Amino acid sequence: MKKNLLLFLATFAIVFTSLAQDKGLLYEISGNGLEKSSYLFGTIHIICEEDFELSDQVVQKVAESQSLVLEIDLDDPSMMQIVFANINNPDGEKITDFLDDEEFIATKDFLLENAAVDISMMKSMRPFMLLSMLYPKMLECETKAYEIELMQIAKENERTVEGLETIQDQLSVFEHIPLEEQYKNLYDYVSDFEKGRREFRKLIDTYKTKDVNKMVEIVGESPEYKNYQDVMLHNRNKNWIEPMKSFMEEGQKFFAVGAGHLGGELGLLNLLRNEGYTVTVIEE
């Protein structure tokens, strides 16, 4: 079930990244009265197994930290129940309210063939849920998720897993994006699936270089939600700062969030520095 949720989280990764001032994925957070340093690691929520890489240094820092802090607590047993309870549009809107007959049939047939899902009886399913079902087909490989692997390391070392926000917080993000745009975005992926594959492959290749500056180019090539970066990224980054401060006051923590949240003026690296912390890359 956790892997299914990571497919949902990958919705953020495909079309949203952020400007960055640093190159690297692992950072040390120190100073500003902290007794011990904490660590911040940028992930990509789903990746091909052959592209997956986790350094010894990351493994060591997770094992040393008091707890692993993810975007949401993926170890919460109630999480999937909440997701399933919110699987449909809250006001009962249907996909056929936004796509014409030809677009709906094309989308229905594509999901049936590529995700073994028949949406004829599930027309009110939220578009990002439908999109998440296509990720395995989009990658066409055995996949791994950084969050799942990090959780396993944490548990092996008897560390707890915590979250910066709730699953309700993440679900509410999509309420700020018109359903028409979300369904049109879904149809765009269905009608040109190879383009979606290329975009995701480019995102993965860029992630592997650890060059977050280069990732901003993908934003320019993925215009679907560029007007909603405040909702998808910036506001969430700001909302995470206070929880991060509270966590770090407790002791050494290992934070792992999507790499797109790290860089830029409103990214976590800059926001933490503005709060008086020293944030230093320790693995380029």
Side-chain angles (χ1 to χ4, degrees):
M1 289 194 299
K2 294 184 180 72
K3 190 169 184 179
N4 290 336
L5 186 61
L6 262 297
L7 295 178
F8 152 65
L9 294 180
T11 303
F12 293 95
I14 276 203
V15 291
F16 293 103
T17 55
S18 175
L19 292 172
Q21 301 299 322
D22 301 81
K23 181 176 180 179
L25 297 174
L26 180 62
Y27 294 81
E28 179 180 8
I29 308 169
S30 61
N32 201 22
L34 293 182
E35 294 184 5
K36 290 187 176 182
S37 295
S38 286
Y39 299 89
L40 175 60
F41 178 64
T43 72
I44 189 167
H45 296 309
I46 182 171
I47 194 170
C48 289
E49 192 168 7
E50 68 255 28
D51 294 317
F52 180 85
E53 182 180 357
L54 204 58
S55 71
D56 292 341
Q57 189 162 208
V58 169
V59 173
Q60 177 185 349
K61 297 305 181 185
V62 175
E64 291 176 353
S65 299
Q66 288 184 356
S67 64
L68 169 67
V69 186
L70 305 174
E71 293 182 23
I72 56 176
D73 180 2
L74 290 171
D75 210 29
D76 183 351
S78 68
M79 183 177 53
M80 290 308 298
Q81 182 179 354
I82 296 171
V83 171
F84 288 131
N86 289 274
I87 200 168
N88 293 317
N89 294 316
D91 294 324
E93 299 96 335
K94 298 179 180 180
I95 187 172
T96 48
D97 295 333
F98 304 99
L99 300 184
D100 62 32
D101 290 345
E102 182 178 348
E103 293 170 334
F104 170 71
I105 291 172
T107 303
K108 176 179 71 70
D109 291 347
F110 192 88
L111 282 163
L112 185 61
E113 180 180 354
N114 294 281
V117 174
D118 187 350
I119 61 172
S120 297
M121 304 301 292
M122 299 184 294
K123 294 180 181 179
S124 294
M125 185 176 289
R126 298 173 84 160
F128 60 83
M129 295 287 188
L130 295 172
L131 182 59
S132 70
M133 296 175 183
L134 294 175
Y135 289 124
K137 187 69 176 180
M138 188 175 291
L139 287 174
E140 287 192 310
C141 61
E142 293 296 322
T143 62
K144 297 190 81 167
Y146 279 92
E147 286 80 1
I148 300 300
E149 300 302 318
L150 293 170
M151 284 177 60
Q152 183 175 338
I153 296 166
K155 290 190 173 185
E156 288 172 354
N157 289 276
E158 299 182 341
R159 304 305 189 217
T160 57
V161 178
E162 301 176 279
L164 290 169
E165 62 186 6
T166 67
I167 185 61
Q168 292 96 330
D169 292 331
Q170 290 205 343
L171 291 169
S172 68
V173 166
F174 291 95
E175 295 174 6
H176 298 278
I177 304 173
L179 274 175
E180 181 176 6
E181 291 189 33
Q182 294 186 52
Y183 278 116
K184 289 296 185 182
N185 181 51
L186 171 65
Y187 176 70
D188 286 343
Y189 275 102
V190 166
S191 60
D192 192 354
F193 202 58
E194 289 305 317
K195 178 183 176 183
R197 281 187 175 140
R198 291 193 300 270
E199 289 178 349
F200 206 0
R201 182 69 253 174
K202 187 172 183 179
L203 181 63
I204 290 172
D205 289 343
T206 304
Y207 176 80
K208 289 169 61 179
T209 70
K210 305 178 184 180
D211 186 350
V212 190
N213 273 316
K214 189 175 179 182
M215 292 177 72
V216 73
E217 298 175 12
I218 302 174
V219 178
E221 297 168 2
S222 301
E224 294 94 341
Y225 292 150
K226 66 180 181 181
N227 295 327
Y228 302 100
Q229 288 192 64
D230 282 346
V231 173
M232 298 293 293
L233 283 175
H234 303 154
N235 293 346
R236 294 171 69 214
N237 292 344
K238 293 175 185 177
N239 291 339
W240 289 350
I241 294 300
E242 287 304 317
M244 290 181 75
K245 290 166 64 175
S246 297
F247 278 128
M248 290 188 291
E249 288 171 3
E250 298 172 359
Q252 181 174 317
K253 303 289 181 174
F254 190 97
F255 300 97
V257 303
H261 290 280
L262 299 187
E265 183 179 355
L266 297 176
L268 290 177
L269 301 178
N270 194 50
L271 292 177
L272 288 166
R273 288 166 178 152
N274 289 344
E275 291 290 326
Y277 297 100
T278 300
V279 184
T280 308
V281 65
I282 59 174
E283 185 177 90
E284 294 186 3

